Amino acid sequence: MKVLLSWLRDFAPDIDGDSEQLAEVLADLGLAVEELSHVGRGLDGIVIAEVLATRPHPDADRIHLVDVDAGDGEALQVCCGAFNMAVGDLVPLATVGTTMPNGIEIARRKMRGEWSNGMLCSGAEIGMGDDHEGILILEQGLSLGVPLAEALGIQPDVLFDLEVNPNRPDAMSVMGVARDLAARLGVPFSVAVPAVDETGTPAAERASVSIASPDFCQRFGVRVLDNVPSGASPRWMANRLLAVGQRPINAVVDLSNYVMFELGQPNHTYDLDLVPGGELGVRMAHRGEELITLDGTARALTTYDGVIVNRDDQAIGLAGVMGGASTEISADTRSVLLEAAWWDPMTIARTARRLGLRSEASARFERGADPDIIPIALDRFAELAAALGSTTAPGMIDATGNRPEPIPVRVRSPRVNSILGTDLSTDQMIALLEPIGFACDSGEDGQDFNVNIPSWRLDSATEIDVIEEVGRLHGFSKIARTVPVTEQAGALTPQQQDRRRVRELLTGMGISEAMPLPFLAPGDLARAGLGDDGITVTNPLVAEESIMRTSLRPGLLKAVAYNAARRTTGVSLFEIGRVNPGGGGDLPDEGEHLAVILAGQEATAATTLWRRLARHLTVARPGVVNGPVDGLHPGRSGQVLADGQPVGALGEIDPQVLDAYEIDERVAWLEVDLGALLEADRGLAPYRAPSRYPSSDVDLAFTVSDEVSADEVYATIAEAGGELLASVALFDVFRSDQLGEGQRSLAFTLRFEAPDRTLNDAEVAQARQSCIDAVSNTHNASLRG
Amino acid sequence: MAEPEQLVVEAERQAAAATTLDELSAVRTAMTGKRSPLVAARKALGDMEPDARKQAGQALNEAKAAIDEILSAREAELAAAARAEKLAAERLDLTEVVEQPASGHLHVITQTWQELEDVFVGMGYRVAEGPEIESEWYNFGALNFPLGHPARDMYDTLYVDYGEPGTTLLRTHTSPVQARVMENQEPPIYVVAPGRCFRQDTADATHMPVFHQIEGLVVDRHTTLGDLAGTIEAFTAAYFGPGFSSRLRPSYFPFTEPSAEFDIQRPDGTWLELGGCGMVHPNVFEACGIDPEQWQGFAFGFGIDRLALIRFGIDDLRELWTNDIRFLGQF
């Protein structure tokens, strides 16, 4: 929403001060200034010029040569990148030596070998509208060589581009912004009553309005205007419209826009001759009803759209969104029906969104226009039109629908202070509210008071809404800052702490944390050997982001492939992230996984990693069970167990999957359900004091079939060693022809000790033999010499 | 038989001639061993007259002590020389190291996330979490966005095909965690909720369809807008450091009223628009089963990703997601 300082002063002449400071005040009122610019500044040196001829540039396609007459009758050559001018057009020329509003200095220079003696300007370049593309074509009749500002009557002004929040329908008009600003600055604000001279046949005899959808249309006002101007609007109006980004079209359209920007009331004109009997009606559209809108498009309507109909119940306008083509005014139009109405915001929002027809008008209706501004807006239009020769029929048609009775809001002063943290008296609160039209009457006890919400604040209806206004007008920056004190000790949950410990362990092991996108393309999971696709996104922008992942594997494989393609192999990465394996109740199941990918490493690297992780997290009975896992190397994969329960898988990525990702090194993989892992039985074994007596070490090497896992042998030894076995560790593995096919040697070192004595040779020998017997019997293994 | 004085002279000569500990050991054997002249002389004492024996014995003892001293001194010399030689031989170039795998790096998002958590934990907050695939109710309904409310359009929501159409979505903000916490916990509540959020957006330098936010929620008996402003200010000082300050500007969010944007002012006077905040709307309290007449609260939220970019001087959001080790390894 763009507003000019001069326009604001039409409502509050005493608004004054430094424009930067005014911008700060506006921001503090919740009207953030996205851009502050100075209209009419930097126009020195820009003059009116006429296009004499245009020629192609001999050496460039994107620019051409334009000869202009800047008042001296001479042809001046200018290089120009826009092609929208014709011979005879009047254009703004920035002469050599001009400093443009953006600070650029115009010099005589060669462009690809051709001299350019100045620059032709677009509207945007000189603060007249938003058009960056074409050169601004000026109206005919201006004197050549005259400074642009003088020729167009441009006064220095300040333009504020405001960000208006959805809860500020009032701020969608110059009047509303002026009201807020005047209230904060403590200067008078008033809306002038438009002066309308009425003449001819009363409007009521020439037009009528009937409302069949009274909830949709709370109010519908009509005036009848004759002798409407057919030419351009006055220069001052066109300048203001240009400044706020609205291209002037013709007097009637410009008047309509001007009134909308000024008062926030969108309005529409019908050619009275094209509306039989001047009869207008309002109803909801029928299913399948069609209407050709002003832009010539046929619109299929629904029962959720509101329409304006004529005497024959034919739709002639899409209420609040766009007028119909059949009653459009033209150069021949002499008399118009001027409509200003109030439409239900939700209905307008829905229609505008469905048809993709959001406009300045629909934006205002969506927020909630002011039903009470309707007669003023009609009169303001009539007043401005009268200055252009139009006449106004006596009277105004003022049809009403169901307008809810305004309910005063009871406001508790202590509550206001309690929410805001202020210490305002009731009188102070009222003094803040009254200038923005929130009429207050003091309650009986002088503490509570009733507030009548103004008609322009549809958003405001409850006590908290009023409290917000008190805070806003008082100024958030003036509220004393305090920090609430809690008795609660801040802390991470044990699970959150564990997550950090996992990250620390992994980074300590040289593994970096990756962050792949959680979205997948169709087929990504299958490509990673993971079977069916996961939950789909209903409205993805691109197919690559249409599937939710069931595993972290596709993302990390992609990351390894990305690095490999950039000549970095041997990359180790991990990720902790959410996955959606499918299933679930009201919401799909969602788990948190940890995955580690070790490029250039064999499967056992994943086992080592898993054991360190399990030990770090004091997981009870961490295990690995060899066996095939989807997408992993069938002979180099296994389940991961915590306390006997499967919590994930590890191994090496299946070579076929690696091929699909164009990775040509071995890749070790571990993925665990971190939630399940952290919930598994965990904790340290009961404390045992270190023995003060010497221990005895025994090394045992067994020939064991490949069918038996080292872990199983380990478990057998651990069990058979009993109380005296302090530790056991696998320290050597080898295969040889001597051992034979399918056999290998597993060498373990065992340490025996007792807490209360030095073990004698017999005791150690007995324990040793128990272990040998157990392994031999359980696994059909033999002790090696 | 040699005179004791001569033995000492001889020992001195031989000790000096010995250049290794082994040679010295041989000298010691020759000079003080069982077959040494010294021992032989001592044996010969038994045949002497008592007076002469006494005199000769004393001379021998003195010679023995002198020889021992000579040998010890020489031994110490040789040992020191041997140690020095060994140390010299063991010299290492300590920069002559074959490159070991470097330590890993936490992602910049995680680093920023954890730092933010730590600031709020230090202020007495707990850390709450919620699902990334969320129901329409928690993302919008419970937060005072009625069905069909235009404010829902402010969020470019991604929905998923689950349950009835339009009921399940990828959360557009971390605010649903507010509602979940309030449903499950009796006030007072002091929590932050960092998390991943989603929106229908095309990836560019400043937008990603996935991003991270941190949400704060306080519900207590007398929580005020002044408390909110003070909390934002305290956070600003704790996270950004001295010289940074904050301001609140009125704004609009359906789930808070009054609502505000908060900006951080850098020491050079420029502003950074950080996030949104406000007092918890009474309708949100009611939707979550908390009596708004008994409890008051504030909420705030802001993006983590942009803070990470600023902190590490990264200029393109997409870099965060490439997983290029040359990126990850820098932080």
Side-chain angles (χ1 to χ4, degrees):
Chain A
M1 168 79 193
K2 292 178 175 175
V3 294
L4 283 166
L5 180 57
S6 68
W7 209 340
L8 292 171
R9 284 188 178 138
D10 288 355
F11 295 91
D14 297 339
I15 290 177
D16 209 348
D18 175 63
S19 52
E20 300 278 349
Q21 279 170 0
L22 287 176
E24 288 291 314
V25 173
L26 286 164
D28 202 46
L29 286 165
L31 299 167
V33 178
E34 290 179 330
E35 199 183 341
L36 168 69
S37 48
H38 295 272
V39 175
R41 187 182 280 185
L43 295 183
D44 294 347
I46 299 174
V47 301
I48 309 292
E50 182 182 352
V51 176
L52 300 176
T54 66
R55 286 170 281 126
H57 189 293
D59 217 18
D61 292 338
R62 297 227 171 145
I63 53 176
H64 63 150
L65 305 174
V66 183
D67 288 337
V68 296
D69 175 2
D72 57 5
E74 299 287 322
L76 193 66
Q77 176 175 296
V78 177
C79 296
C80 184
F83 292 79
N84 64 320
M85 70 291 287
V87 171
D89 280 349
L90 300 187
V91 292
L93 168 72
T95 52
V96 169
T98 301
T99 304
M100 299 296 291
N102 64 5
I104 289 176
E105 202 165 311
I106 304 299
R108 179 169 190 265
R109 62 188 186 117
K110 271 194 173 173
M111 295 175 80
R112 292 216 163 210
E114 291 289 337
W115 283 107
S116 186
N117 300 288
M119 185 179 85
L120 305 184
C121 308
S122 71
E125 279 164 335
I126 52 176
M128 297 181 66
D130 296 330
D131 188 0
H132 292 266
E133 302 292 319
I135 298 304
L136 182 66
I137 307 296
L138 300 165
E139 68 200 67
Q140 289 295 324
L142 302 173
S143 304
L144 302 187
V146 174
L148 181 78
E150 183 188 323
L152 300 186
I154 297 170
Q155 302 295 322
D157 209 335
V158 179
L159 182 71
F160 301 101
D161 190 355
L162 304 176
E163 183 187 336
V164 179
N165 285 310
N167 66 331
R168 293 299 306 280
D170 61 310
M172 292 299 281
S173 69
V174 177
M175 172 184 69
V177 174
R179 183 190 294 118
D180 236 29
L181 193 52
R184 170 57 74 82
L185 298 175
V187 299
F189 164 86
S190 62
V191 183
V193 178
V196 182
D197 288 331
E198 300 180 325
T199 180
T201 310
E205 293 173 24
R206 302 169 66 188
S208 65
V209 174
S210 62
I211 300 173
S213 303
D215 291 322
F216 169 60
C217 179
Q218 286 186 10
R219 192 171 190 182
F220 194 126
V222 170
R223 266 200 179 275
V224 177
L225 273 62
D226 298 298
N227 306 311
V228 294
S230 57
S233 48
R235 168 57 50 198
W236 66 268
M237 184 182 288
N239 283 348
R240 277 192 170 175
L241 290 173
L242 261 177
V244 301
Q246 183 68 48
R247 194 166 52 90
I249 313 271
N250 60 46
V252 175
V253 173
D254 293 356
L255 274 168
S256 174
N257 283 327
Y258 189 87
V259 169
M260 175 176 71
F261 287 125
E262 181 170 87
L263 302 175
Q265 175 63 52
N267 50 83
H268 184 70
T269 46
Y270 302 82
D271 187 328
L272 179 54
D273 292 339
L274 302 176
V275 180
E279 292 178 34
L280 297 176
V282 176
R283 62 165 168 81
M284 302 314 288
H286 305 308
R287 185 193 300 272
E289 190 169 5
E290 213 173 75
L291 167 70
I292 297 173
T293 46
L294 274 176
D295 56 359
T297 308
R299 308 281 177 181
L301 305 180
T302 75
T303 54
Y304 297 110
D305 303 318
V307 287
I308 319 291
V309 295
N310 63 15
R311 185 168 62 189
D312 306 322
D313 200 38
Q314 289 166 329
I316 57 170
L318 193 50
V321 178
M322 194 181 262
S326 66
T327 56
E328 187 178 3
I329 57 166
S330 64
D332 301 331
T333 301
R334 299 304 300 153
S335 301
V336 298
L337 289 173
L338 173 64
E339 164 207 312
W342 188 97
W343 312 111
D344 171 55
M346 295 277 270
T347 307
I348 299 300
R350 203 158 37 212
T351 299
R353 187 172 42 180
R354 182 173 58 80
L355 298 175
L357 285 175
R358 306 189 89 159
S359 62
E360 293 281 357
S362 74
R364 285 166 174 79
F365 287 128
E366 277 179 30
R367 282 178 160 86
D370 173 8
D372 285 346
I373 202 70
I374 286 173
I376 299 169
L378 292 172
D379 285 356
R380 177 66 170 150
F381 190 113
E383 179 187 51
L384 292 167
L388 302 177
S390 131
T391 56
T392 308
M396 180 185 293
I397 296 155
D398 190 358
T400 50
N402 295 336
R403 189 163 168 198
E405 202 59 36
I407 304 164
V409 176
R410 185 97 178 142
V411 176
R412 296 164 291 175
S413 306
R415 177 81 173 168
V416 177
N417 284 323
S418 168
I419 293 284
L420 297 178
T422 47
D423 193 18
L424 298 169
S425 69
T426 308
D427 286 348
Q428 284 172 309
M429 293 175 195
I430 291 173
L432 290 168
L433 290 168
E434 292 271 1
I436 55 164
F438 284 62
C440 307
D441 55 35
S442 187
E444 286 164 21
D445 56 3
Q447 282 293 308
D448 297 358
F449 56 100
N450 286 322
V451 179
N452 292 301
I453 307 293
S455 56
W456 55 83
R457 289 304 297 270
L458 192 71
D459 62 291
S460 208
T462 60
E463 185 185 42
I464 193 69
D465 296 327
V466 177
I467 292 173
E468 179 174 50
E469 291 305 304
V470 173
R472 194 172 66 81
L473 272 300
H474 174 65
F476 288 179
S477 53
K478 279 201 245 163
I479 295 171
R481 294 174 174 194
T482 45
V483 180
V485 177
T486 169
E487 290 169 10
Q488 168 182 289
L492 298 178
T493 63
Q495 196 149 16
Q496 289 160 351
Q497 293 177 42
D498 282 335
R499 213 186 270 147
R500 288 195 177 193
R501 297 178 64 215
V502 169
R503 286 190 157 101
E504 279 162 19
L505 173 76
L506 294 173
T507 52
M509 291 175 70
I511 306 168
S512 286
E513 185 180 20
M515 200 170 75
L517 275 177
F519 298 122
L520 302 177
D524 271 356
L525 286 162
R527 207 154 61 100
L530 288 162
D532 291 343
D533 278 343
I535 290 171
T536 50
V537 178
T538 312
N539 53 335
L541 279 186
V542 288
E544 287 71 36
E545 296 167 2
S546 64
I547 311 281
M548 301 308 290
R549 59 194 181 175
T550 59
S551 159
L552 304 181
R553 201 188 297 162
L556 285 175
L557 279 171
K558 213 171 142 189
V560 164
Y562 181 95
N563 283 290
R566 283 154 187 79
R567 303 189 61 253
T568 308
T569 51
V571 166
S572 298
L573 298 171
F574 78 90
E575 184 190 2
I576 294 176
R578 307 275 181 94
V579 296
N580 301 99
D586 291 344
L587 288 176
D589 285 340
E590 189 167 304
E592 185 171 62
H593 278 198
L594 160 69
V596 186
I597 194 161
L598 305 169
Q601 298 195 48
E602 299 208 346
T604 47
T607 311
T608 304
L609 184 86
W610 158 240
R611 289 197 174 145
R612 287 183 71 170
L613 176 70
R615 170 163 291 197
H616 196 68
L617 295 173
T618 63
V619 172
R621 301 202 294 131
V624 173
V625 178
N626 293 321
V629 174
D630 288 347
L632 299 187
H633 187 307
R636 296 184 169 203
S637 53
Q639 296 283 328
V640 161
L641 308 183
D643 194 27
Q645 296 301 310
V647 293
L650 49 61
E652 250 172 67
I653 301 292
D654 190 320
Q656 198 180 331
V657 171
L658 293 178
D659 284 347
Y661 280 85
E662 296 179 17
I663 298 170
D664 49 14
E665 52 187 336
R666 288 187 180 276
V667 175
W669 175 257
L670 168 70
E671 180 164 12
V672 295
D673 181 333
L674 190 58
L677 177 63
L678 297 179
E679 277 167 24
D681 188 19
R682 289 168 51 206
L684 296 166
Y687 169 70
R688 280 170 57 174
S691 175
R692 284 181 285 121
Y693 300 91
S695 57
S696 304
D697 288 352
V698 171
D699 288 352
L700 298 175
F702 297 97
T703 305
V704 188
S705 158
D706 280 336
E707 300 302 313
V708 179
S709 77
D711 247 14
E712 290 172 87
V713 178
Y714 177 101
T716 302
I717 294 171
E719 167 96 36
E723 286 284 297
L724 299 182
L725 184 62
S727 68
V728 54
L730 178 68
F731 72 93
D732 187 46
V733 182
F734 78 91
R735 291 173 171 77
S736 70
D737 292 345
Q738 217 178 346
L739 289 171
E741 181 83 357
Q743 302 281 321
R744 86 281 206 202
S745 162
L746 298 176
F748 294 88
T749 187
L750 290 63
R751 171 162 290 188
F752 294 103
E753 70 182 21
D756 53 355
R757 64 188 190 281
T758 304
L759 294 177
N760 61 39
D761 292 350
E763 283 176 304
V764 173
Q766 194 188 347
R768 175 179 180 276
Q769 196 56 48
S770 301
C771 293
I772 296 168
D773 292 347
V775 172
S776 305
N777 297 335
T778 312
H779 304 301
N780 193 25
S782 57
L783 185 69
R784 292 182 53 242
Chain B
M1 197 183 100
E3 287 302 315
E5 292 78 9
Q6 285 175 317
L7 291 176
V8 172
V9 171
E10 180 61 15
E12 202 153 22
R13 189 188 64 75
Q14 289 194 25
T19 56
T20 67
L21 286 169
D22 286 348
E23 284 172 24
L24 187 69
S25 181
V27 172
R28 187 186 296 278
T29 306
M31 295 307 298
T32 64
K34 285 176 185 165
R35 291 176 194 151
S36 62
L38 201 64
V39 172
R42 198 181 288 280
K43 279 177 182 163
L45 287 178
D47 303 333
M48 294 171 77
E49 287 303 311
D51 276 357
R53 186 168 63 199
K54 189 180 177 189
Q55 200 174 8
Q58 198 177 337
L60 279 177
N61 282 344
E62 283 168 8
K64 169 76 163 66
I67 291 169
D68 281 345
E69 197 174 317
I70 287 162
L71 292 173
S72 296
R74 183 59 180 159
E75 185 177 17
E77 262 175 45
L78 290 174
R83 249 195 326 273
E85 191 180 348
K86 182 161 189 270
L87 292 178
E90 284 178 353
R91 178 188 177 277
L92 279 185
D93 170 6
L94 300 189
T95 65
E96 195 182 78
V97 177
V98 175
E99 216 48 64
Q100 299 290 307
S103 53
H105 298 259
L106 284 183
H107 197 277
V108 291
I109 290 295
T110 302
Q111 293 187 38
T112 310
W113 172 313
Q114 292 186 349
E115 207 171 340
L116 291 168
E117 279 181 345
D118 291 346
V119 167
F120 285 108
V121 165
M123 291 167 73
Y125 289 66
R126 299 279 169 89
V127 179
E129 295 169 22
E132 291 176 0
I133 296 187
E134 188 52 283
S135 69
E136 171 280 321
W137 168 251
Y138 284 108
N139 200 75
F140 290 128
L143 298 176
N144 198 32
F145 292 77
L147 270 173
H149 193 280
R152 290 193 180 201
D153 294 350
M154 290 159 57
Y155 301 81
D156 299 314
T157 310
L158 285 167
Y159 289 87
V160 296
D161 300 317
Y162 191 88
E164 292 295 310
T167 58
T168 313
L169 47 80
L170 297 172
R171 66 177 174 191
T172 58
H173 47 182
T174 42
S175 306
V177 184
Q178 280 183 32
R180 289 180 174 274
V181 169
M182 283 192 274
E183 270 187 359
N184 291 314
Q185 188 187 328
E186 292 289 318
I189 295 169
Y190 289 76
V191 297
V192 288
R196 181 167 274 189
C197 309
F198 306 82
R199 67 186 158 211
Q200 198 189 43
D201 227 333
T202 303
D204 65 25
T206 55
H207 299 85
M208 284 298 294
V210 190
F211 58 101
H212 304 86
Q213 274 189 349
I214 186 164
E215 187 89 5
L217 173 70
V218 166
V219 181
D220 212 333
R221 291 287 180 193
H222 307 292
T223 307
T224 68
L225 186 64
D227 286 338
L228 169 58
T231 299
I232 298 285
E233 182 70 9
F235 158 75
T236 302
Y239 181 79
F240 291 95
F244 287 82
S245 59
S246 63
R247 76 171 172 200
L248 265 52
R249 285 183 289 111
S251 187
Y252 171 76
F253 304 103
F255 42 108
T256 52
E257 189 163 14
S259 297
E261 304 270 354
F262 62 94
D263 306 334
I264 307 299
Q265 190 168 33
R266 304 183 183 92
D268 67 3
T270 58
W271 292 93
L272 166 69
E273 289 183 22
L274 195 61
C277 60
M279 301 300 293
V280 178
H281 197 288
N283 292 353
V284 175
F285 275 140
E286 275 163 15
C288 300
I290 290 178
D291 182 355
E293 291 295 320
Q294 298 296 316
W295 299 97
Q296 299 180 180
F298 65 71
F300 58 85
F302 54 92
I304 295 176
D305 305 38
R306 198 157 58 104
L307 282 185
L309 295 199
I310 293 168
R311 185 161 205 83
F312 296 99
I314 304 162
D315 55 10
D316 191 325
L317 262 182
R318 288 167 294 193
E319 291 291 345
L320 301 181
W321 302 88
T322 57
N323 302 309
D324 190 323
I325 200 78
R326 295 168 299 177
F327 172 84
L328 300 174
Q330 288 186 46
F331 309 101

